[in-house]
Each structure stands twice: as C-alpha cells, then as structure tokens.
Amino acid sequence: MASLVFNTPWLKVRSLPGLAPTFLRRRQCSLLTCSRRSFAVVACSSPSDNGGSVRVRFAPSPTGNLHVGGARTALFNYLFARSKGGKFVLRIEDTDLERSTRESEAAVLQDLSWLGLDWDEGPGVGGDFGPYRQSERNALYKQYAEKLLESGHVYRCFCSSEELVKMKEIAKLKQLPPVYTGKWATASDAEVEQELEKGTPFTYRFRVPKEGSLKINDLIRGEVCWNLDTLGDFVVMRSNGQPVYNFCVTVDDATMAISHVIRAEEHLPNTLRQALIYKALEFPMPQFAHVSLILAPDRSKLSKRHGATSVGQYREMGYLPQGMVNYLALLGWGDGTENEFFTLEQLVEKFSIERVNKSGAIFDSTKLRWMNGQHLRALPFDKLTKLVGERWKSAGILAESEGSFVDETVELLKDGIDLVTDSDKVLLNLLSYPLHATLASAEAKPAVEDKLHEVAASLIAAYDSGEIQSALAEGPSGWQKWVKAFGKSMKRKGKSLFMPLRVLLTGKLHGPEMATSIVLIHKAGSPGLVVPQAGFVSMEERFKILKEVDWDALNNGESVPLESTAAVST
C-alpha cells in the first residue's frame, strides 16, 4: 500500500500502487493525518510547492559571535541557493530579549559579509517577506496563535510553575517521560473563564495527538522517525505574551516561503513540534536537511576550551575569508575528487546537498592554517604584496609598506607564510643575525670543524676590500658571480662552500634562497627602510660581530661569551 496526498496536503489516503492520479505521482508532498487521538506524518516536499523556486534561510541569534559551526551552516545554505538559482535569506532570531544585542547582530552581519556570503533578503537589504527580525514580527505570531486557539489546536494553560515542577517529579518517580499531563486540555469554558476573570497568567499549549508518529525524509540523514507519546502538549506562547522559538520559526519559515531548511543537527528534535504546527496552520512543509556538528579533535563538541571558535577571532588572527570558506565547506562535504582547493565560485558550481556527510566533521586547526596559506599564495602578487607590506608597516618593522624591497622580500619569503601575521616572524628572522647561538649549537659543529675560521678570514678580507659590497650592488647575479670566484679561490664548491657562507652571513644554518637573502639584507641597510626598533643587524654590523668571534675557543668546545650573543639581538 502506498500513502498518497489527495486534494489537501493534510489528508492522507491509501490506494494501490500505480492507481494514484497522475498529478500525485509527480508531486513530492507533506503527508499528515491527524485526529485528537492519533497522528501520522510522512514529511517530504519539493520546490514545486513554492512555485518551483528555492528559498533558504540562515537564522542566527544575536547573542554572541558567529561560531564556525554557524558559519558553515550559512555557507551550505548560500551554496545551495546559488547552485539552484534561488534566494538566500538572512533572518535574525532575536526573541531572547535578555541576551540579544544589536552589537552582536552587527558583528554577525560583518562576519557574513567578510566571508562573502551576501544575502538576497534580510537586514540592510529588505525584501518582500520582511520584517526580517523576529522582534519585529510579534503581531504576526499573535495572529497565528489566535488562529490556533480558535481552531482548537492550542488551549490556555493556567498551571503555575510549582504545579509543572510537581508533574515532572511525579513522572520521574513513575519512570515516565517528563511531559505535560494535559490538566487544562479538557477544561470547560466555564473553568477557563473563571481563571481569566481572576487574572491568572496563562500560556498557550499545543494539543499534541496521544498516538502516532512523525517521519521525515531528511536530505542528509535519510528517514528519521519519532513517536508522539514522548512529547506532551507544549507551549507556543508564554504567559508574558512572547512566542516560543519553535512557533516563531515555523511561522517565519512558512510566511517567508522557505522551501528548504538546512540547519545544524541539534535542531533535529525541533522538527517534531514544528511539523505539528505546520499541519495545524495548514502550511506546506519545507524539505529538511540537518548538518552534522563540528567536533574537536577529541570528538567532543567544538567549544571555546579548544581555542578560537568564532569567525571574528580567525579574522583577527590573520586568516583570509577565502581560506575560511574553503575549509568550512570541506567539513562534511566534498566533490568526490581528491581536490581540496576551491574558490567560492567553484564551490557554488560543485556543491550538492547529496554529497554532505551525516557524520561529524573534525575541526583541524593545522589543516585550516595550511588551507589559508594555499589561498594566500594564490592571490594576485600585487594584492599579496599590499597585504603583507601593510602588515610589516603596521607591525613596526618597515617604515614603508611598498617598494622594490617589499616586492622582492615577499617573493622570497611567501612560501613560509600561511597567515598574514606569519610574515612578521619570517621577515624578522631574515633581518636577525644569531651567529653566536648558531655556532654554539650541536648542529653547526660539522661546519665549524670544516675550517670555518678560514672561510671567515677570507670573507672578512673580501668585505674590507669592498669586493662584497660591489658584488651586492649588482644584485643576485653579481653576488652569484662573486661567490663562484670566491669558491675557486677557497677550493670549495657545493655544500662545503654554501653552508659556511650561509652561516657567516645570515647567522643561520637554514633559510630561504641564499643569493636573494644576502642581497635583501644588504638592501635593508638603506637609510629609512627598516624601523630602528626592529632589531635589524646590518651587513656592516655583521662583519663587526664576525671579527670578534674567538675561533680558538669554539674549536676547543668552550662556551660562547654571553655578551656577544646579547649584542646580536639588540
């Protein structure tokens, strides 16, 4: 037997397979049947119920910063809408009057804009289905609450807080679900009028069928089913006249013609209450897709104790919106290939809700950093140099944010930069000269024992004669030409030549391409280029330090004088 809709989405008829009317076989529907005692749902709808158009919404609560989980949900909604040629709606759920602030709302909007998730309708944009803040829609909620009261789907409940607590305690003792017992569900009109005359506060409770089940076909999780006997009559309007979350959401989604509700899996239990409200108000139901939670490496729910969790924090840490968007998209989705690098435009082209995984996604901050580096280095070079140059100037390292020195230095160091803030460290490392600390290290021992003092003596002589300065003035090609000649004179080549030169001129055993590094160190000595407080050791100062090295002490394994090490870091 097949369950089919006939005439109305709320009437369920049974017919033999293949004998249903043609229009029913074409249409995916919301199927519900209800009586006061029993209820059954098979919930699945399609964009055809909304004239064929896809409309999705992201509905944050402005009670704090935009969490990465919320950002991922917004992204999936955005990608789904754009991939289907639909509308992405932003709605602010600010019914929590005590915690909601306009400052938090502004921060959420800023984060969404920074990510590039522009909304088609919502605050600051407008639209035909506004207002787009729940706090401005109270008249609408009251209108539909009264409609439910008139139809008998809700009733006034005059139970006090003490009575409700007692009900829960009794249910616990009897090992029953802590649901409302329905004390006022069968009250007479006279009993209700008596309480109203006394001015007794009341809530509106939804009359839940005592038997039956709810089944939905979730686009991500597949078939999900609940029994109604675990629910109990629930509140839709509080005694202070404020609507409850599930009631607001249902009215909003229906009156805004939302076709697909894509949200976090923690909202999955809410679907039961919302489906009942959809049915009672004769609203067509949207399709549901519940996205898995983002988990910490220990597989617990990602929280502040695991480090940064908000989009704003990552922006302040130097992450790019391109990197954040790409990484968030991969938390539970993939295009079926080995590719992991996507622009927002490519994600729109590739995205499908069918490829969203229902398993929890692990948030890997190391992977996020790597992903950000990929996008950083993929920027047009002029944008990359502008971004890094401005960072170096604002960090108090360089006096100017642009010029040939910035361009050449970015080109040299970019592979070591995953975050814009990393650029500080790599530039300061280039400008530093920790010679004595390097020479005293165990790793440098083979270089020191390979007659490093002889190379140092010849290098000092070349500097004093002006050879090195002349070679550096010609740039990398002039330097390489000089190094080749220097190697011949020392009868050294390859590692036995380049390692001593790197140690003696940069003060380090490892680093970026040496020829360009040495030339840039030379250029950094130009007046007014590097801020004095940056700790730069010029070429002239490097040779002064080099001349003071006690090679005999080093070769005998004696400690490096502390005053020499301190002088390097000033």
Side-chain angles (χ1 to χ4, degrees), residues 21 52 55 131-132 149 185 212 284 320-321 334 364 377 389 400 443 466 477 489 492 564:
R55 289 176 57 82
Y132 292 92
L149 184 64
L320 297 177
D364 184 345
R377 288 182 284 278
E400 299 296 335
E443 191 180 359
S477 61
S489 68
R492 288 174 177 257
S564 298

Side-chain angles (χ1 to χ4, degrees), residues 428-441 444 502-510 521 535 537 542 545 549 560 564-570:
L428 290 172
N429 184 58
L430 178 70
L431 299 177
S432 69
Y433 188 60
L435 177 67
H436 288 287
T438 299
L439 292 177
S441 68
R502 180 180 291 279
V503 170
L504 297 171
L505 293 174
T506 71
K508 308 171 193 76
L509 289 161
H510 311 285
I521 291 168
V537 181
R542 291 174 190 232
I545 293 169
V549 174
V560 179
S564 298
T565 306
V568 175
S569 61
T570 58

Side-chain angles (χ1 to χ4, degrees), residues 379-410:
L379 290 174
F381 189 68
D382 59 335
K383 289 186 178 181
L384 177 60
T385 54
K386 185 176 188 297
L387 199 63
V388 176
E390 289 176 351
R391 171 68 194 186
W392 283 340
K393 183 178 179 181
S394 66
I397 302 174
L398 299 184
E400 299 296 335
S401 63
E402 57 186 23
S404 61
F405 179 80
V406 171
D407 293 346
E408 293 168 23
T409 306
V410 170

